[in-house]
Amino acid sequence: MTDAAPPATSSGRRRRPERAALLMQYLLLQAVIVVLCLFALRIPPPEPSSRYLVTDFSLKENGAERSVTLPHFTASRYQLNDPPLYSGRFTWPGGEPQGAWSVLLPRFTNGVEVAVNGVVILDSRRNPAANRPDRNTPEIAVIPASLLREGANDLAIRLFVWGPIKGFLDRLYVGPDAMLRPSYNARTLLFVTLPVVFSAWQAILAVILGIMWMMRRHEPAYGVLAAAMAIGVGQAFFQTPMQDSPFSRLNAMLISSAPLESAFVLTFALLFFGWKWPRYGWLIFTPGLVVAAAGLFGDATLSREAFLLVGAPTVGLCVVALALIAAHAVWRKQDAISLMLGCALTIVLTCWALDLLSVLQLMPNRRILLARLSYSAMLAAIGAGLTWRFARALNQVDGFAASMVTLVREAEDKLKASFAREEERARAAALARERTRLMRDLHDGLGGQLVSIVALSERGNAGAGIGEAARAALRDLRVVIDSMDDIGGDLMLALGSWRERAMAQLRPHDIALDFAVSPQGLPVHPELRPGHVIQIVRLLDEALTNAIKHARARRITVSIETLTDAAGLPRGCIAIEDDGKGFEVAADGDAAGGGLKAARGLRNMRSRAARCGAELEISSGTGGTRVKLTLPRRFPDSDTAAG
């Protein structure tokens, strides 16, 4: 352990300069992004030719009148009555085919009413999307030809301001519609269509993240980000309420929900990058809840002031915190997600700072708010990061699958080799068991008969006895050979061969054999082995021999049938019954007074039945003896049978 510490320490020391260099490169990249943002934002939006520009107006406000030049800021107010009135003139060269003329207002806060020669041609309050102070929605109105007169024409603009930020009226243009319309369309694409597209992408991202969270509940970061995206969608699509209605307070709350959205995004970053949730982490939601409560329970004035004084700074602080978390993740993890998110946050933070300076009028003649539009860069970074992470996970899964295929193939090869060895061992064990069984069967049957033949031959003059012993040996050899046949688990085939031998054995003793088989016969047992067959056949031979030698029977009946046990399952039954004199059965199941040889024979029968898992019942009386063998539902393993 002590030897391993210095290399780790030296490795950590070598890594520190590398991380410091990486951090400097990251900070330099962010500085380059800031410079590029400032350079891009200095490029003015599409504007018509300056020949159609109208900038000199007379402003009437609060009972006073003075000359102003557009663009112009006016004092903030919370009432729509007595709005500032801008009066000016433009020249229409009559007598020439000029086509339709229009009035283009590139930017204003919050609403405008445009009148030409005393007739109103535009009222932006009818378009709620144009009345949000965080939007840069342009307006254009075609001047009816009947209103135009050759030479000077009066132009009046009433600017409606509902605080807390000051009203703003940008330079406006009056000229042929064909000359003004391209600029209007370009601005609409930038400041109206693109935000809608990004909001739709945000809604799709909310759905995707929600599904990911539902499928991966152990990763709450996806659920938190889905909530942030859902709040952002509501904030983007709800309009500024112009009048009190049942939903006006709800609209005001949702429109001012940017602090809550930024708090959720900050929470996502903390969870996503593996930060431990702080004890008082819920406090980051407090400003957003305050702004939401002001919109839900207060009036319009309180809601707007709360958003300006509490909401906007909270958004900025959350963006700064997000940028620091992303920088820390780049420094520690050095992954693509952290880098993309950090660059996007730098863009958002730059636009937010410029918007704040514009609202505070520290940047004169500028009122194009881009923080919300730049927020789409962060959405794109999050979407790209999640897609990159998903693709990396797929690659890891593919690699894991490939490695698993290799491992499975290797395991299959090992299993095949193991199975081959086990199969060879099982075959050898089966052969050994079969060899042992054959040796035992030959020893118990044929071996004893051969010993008897040898003993009789040594006595001399015992030809009849030798012949009888040889025939018994031959019968036993046939039993052993027949038991080796493959009968497919059908014991009836073996009993057919046994019937022929039994009839040949009974014929010299003038004993009749009745062989009664029920229609269903015996059940088929696939697990039946030769060892089971030979035990059953020898048990039946023992019962037949006892009837011949001891019972003095004249008729023997063999019954074969299938019975149903107490469990309702079929079990085969073989019964041998004679009409001999019978014997007395002792309490232990042996023959009472029958001698040692008779007792040994009954014990052999019971032992053979036990080896097969069968049940043996022996009953005897003056009317004869009955031996009943009930086969098992399933024969035991061959090893058991061999035992």
Side-chain angles (χ1 to χ4, degrees):
M1 295 296 292
T2 55
D3 295 336
T9 305
S10 60
S11 176
R13 290 176 180 175
R14 289 195 302 269
R15 198 173 297 174
R16 289 176 185 174
E18 296 176 359
R19 289 185 174 180
L22 177 64
L23 183 60
M24 292 300 298
Q25 295 174 5
Y26 175 77
L27 294 177
L28 181 61
L29 176 62
Q30 305 313 306
V32 171
I33 292 175
V34 172
V35 173
L36 293 177
C37 287
L38 294 176
F39 176 78
L41 293 177
R42 288 182 61 88
I43 301 175
E47 295 180 350
S49 173
S50 59
R51 60 184 293 192
Y52 306 112
L53 190 61
V54 180
T55 58
D56 296 329
F57 283 86
S58 173
L59 173 61
K60 184 178 181 181
E61 183 180 17
N62 297 327
E65 187 172 355
R66 67 182 188 276
S67 298
V68 296
T69 302
L70 300 183
H72 182 260
F73 289 89
T74 185
S76 61
R77 62 189 68 203
Y78 295 95
Q79 296 180 357
L80 298 183
N81 57 339
D82 191 22
L85 178 61
Y86 294 84
S87 300
R89 290 192 171 192
F90 67 93
T91 302
W92 181 66
E96 299 180 5
Q98 299 291 332
W101 271 47
S102 299
V103 178
L104 172 63
L105 290 89
R107 183 72 173 93
F108 53 88
T109 308
N110 293 99
V112 293
E113 180 185 274
V114 180
V116 175
N117 295 325
V119 178
V120 176
I121 63 171
L122 171 66
D123 189 349
S124 69
R125 291 175 295 177
R126 299 174 181 174
N127 180 15
N131 298 325
R132 298 240 330 231
D134 59 340
R135 303 287 176 87
N136 306 298
T137 306
E139 287 284 359
I140 191 171
V142 178
I143 306 173
S146 59
L147 295 181
L148 294 173
R149 54 176 178 249
E150 187 175 356
N153 289 262
D154 295 330
L155 179 64
I157 301 173
R158 292 204 301 169
L159 184 65
F160 299 99
V161 182
W162 45 89
I165 64 174
K166 293 184 177 181
F168 174 76
L169 181 61
D170 203 350
R171 300 180 300 176
L172 59 87
Y173 298 84
V174 180
D177 185 80
M179 304 302 296
L180 305 184
R181 186 69 61 173
S183 298
Y184 169 78
N185 292 337
R187 284 177 172 262
T188 301
L189 175 64
L190 288 175
F191 302 124
V192 178
T193 305
L194 283 182
V196 172
V197 172
F198 290 136
S199 298
W201 158 243
Q202 190 173 0
I204 296 173
L205 190 60
V207 174
I208 295 174
L209 291 169
I211 295 174
M212 292 177 63
W213 174 70
M214 292 180 64
M215 301 301 295
R216 301 179 64 84
R217 294 291 184 88
H218 61 282
E219 293 188 77
Y222 296 122
V224 172
L225 187 58
M229 297 297 102
I231 293 175
V233 172
Q235 180 185 356
F237 286 104
F238 280 90
Q239 308 300 336
T240 302
M242 301 299 299
Q243 298 177 352
D244 289 336
S245 66
F247 302 102
S248 60
R249 294 181 181 274
L250 180 62
N251 282 10
M253 182 191 72
L254 292 175
I255 291 174
S256 59
S257 60
L260 278 178
E261 181 184 6
S262 58
F264 273 109
V265 175
L266 179 59
T267 304
F268 158 76
L270 289 172
L271 297 176
F272 186 78
F273 290 116
W275 286 64
K276 185 179 179 181
W277 182 251
R279 183 177 180 183
Y280 299 101
W282 57 269
L283 291 176
I284 63 176
F285 295 95
T286 303
L289 294 176
V290 170
V291 176
L296 191 60
F297 301 106
D299 55 11
T301 300
L302 179 61
S303 174
R304 293 160 187 162
E305 288 184 346
F307 183 81
L308 180 64
L309 299 177
V310 179
T314 300
V315 172
L317 291 176
C318 288
V319 174
V320 172
L322 283 168
L324 294 176
I325 292 173
H328 183 269
V330 171
W331 181 63
R332 292 295 300 272
K333 297 184 177 183
Q334 304 178 16
D335 59 347
I337 299 179
S338 306
L339 181 61
M340 288 188 294
L341 185 59
C343 296
L345 287 170
T346 300
I347 297 174
V348 176
L349 189 59
T350 302
C351 293
W352 175 85
L354 293 177
D355 287 354
L356 185 62
L357 294 176
S358 177
V359 170
L360 298 177
Q361 288 187 252
L362 298 178
M363 294 184 64
N365 301 331
R366 184 185 184 279
R367 180 59 75 82
I368 298 179
L369 305 181
L370 296 174
R372 188 68 197 180
L373 186 60
S374 66
Y375 181 68
S376 58
M378 188 177 70
L379 295 180
I382 292 175
L386 293 178
T387 304
W388 179 83
R389 187 182 188 189
F390 179 71
R392 184 181 62 178
L394 288 180
N395 291 334
Q396 291 176 349
V397 169
D398 292 341
F400 177 74
S403 62
M404 286 300 297
V405 169
T406 303
L407 293 176
V408 168
R409 187 180 295 111
E410 294 176 354
E412 285 180 350
D413 295 339
K414 293 180 180 179
L415 285 175
K416 288 179 180 178
S418 178
F419 286 155
R421 291 192 298 270
E422 291 298 325
E423 187 176 358
E424 186 63 28
R425 291 195 190 100
R427 187 182 298 108
L431 290 175
R433 287 195 300 269
E434 194 65 20
R435 188 181 298 111
T436 301
R437 184 185 67 80
L438 287 174
M439 291 173 62
R440 184 183 64 241
D441 292 338
L442 292 175
H443 177 271
D444 294 344
L446 185 61
Q449 300 295 337
L450 292 176
V451 170
S452 299
I453 292 173
V454 171
L456 290 173
S457 64
E458 290 177 351
R459 294 177 186 175
N461 299 324
I466 293 175
E468 181 65 26
R471 283 191 292 272
L474 183 60
R475 286 196 303 270
D476 195 85
L477 181 61
R478 287 177 178 175
V479 169
V480 175
I481 294 174
D482 289 344
S483 68
M484 297 298 296
D485 291 339
D486 184 10
I487 60 177
D490 190 357
L491 188 59
M492 292 298 299
L493 297 177
L495 293 179
S497 300
W498 176 81
R499 177 185 179 183
E500 294 179 0
R501 292 195 303 271
M503 293 178 64
Q505 185 179 357
L506 295 175
R507 190 177 299 113
H509 301 282
D510 198 19
I511 300 176
L513 176 64
D514 293 336
F515 207 84
V517 182
S518 64
Q520 65 270 30
L522 294 176
V524 176
H525 294 273
E527 74 280 1
L528 189 66
R529 298 289 181 266
H532 305 140
V533 175
I534 196 170
Q535 298 297 338
I536 294 173
V537 170
R538 281 184 170 171
L539 187 152
L540 299 179
D541 284 342
E542 187 76 22
L544 199 66
T545 301
N546 290 338
I548 295 173
K549 291 183 177 182
H550 306 294
R552 299 177 184 176
R554 306 311 304 164
R555 180 174 294 277
I556 296 177
T557 302
V558 179
S559 302
I560 300 175
E561 58 184 338
T562 298
L563 303 178
T564 302
D565 61 6
L569 299 175
R571 297 184 66 177
C573 180
I574 305 173
I576 298 179
E577 189 173 358
D578 62 62
D579 58 354
K581 65 179 183 178
F583 63 92
E584 183 181 354
V585 181
D588 57 357
D590 292 337
L596 181 61
K597 187 174 182 180
R600 185 184 302 114
L602 293 179
R603 284 196 296 271
N604 286 340
M605 293 172 64
R606 297 186 186 279
S607 175
R608 294 184 189 281
R611 290 180 181 180
C612 297
E615 299 174 5
L616 181 65
E617 298 179 15
I618 301 176
S619 60
S620 183
T622 57
T625 303
R626 186 171 187 267
V627 178
K628 179 182 177 182
L629 180 68
T630 303
L631 303 180
R633 300 188 188 97
R634 177 181 175 84
F635 283 90
D637 183 74
S638 58
D639 290 340
T640 305

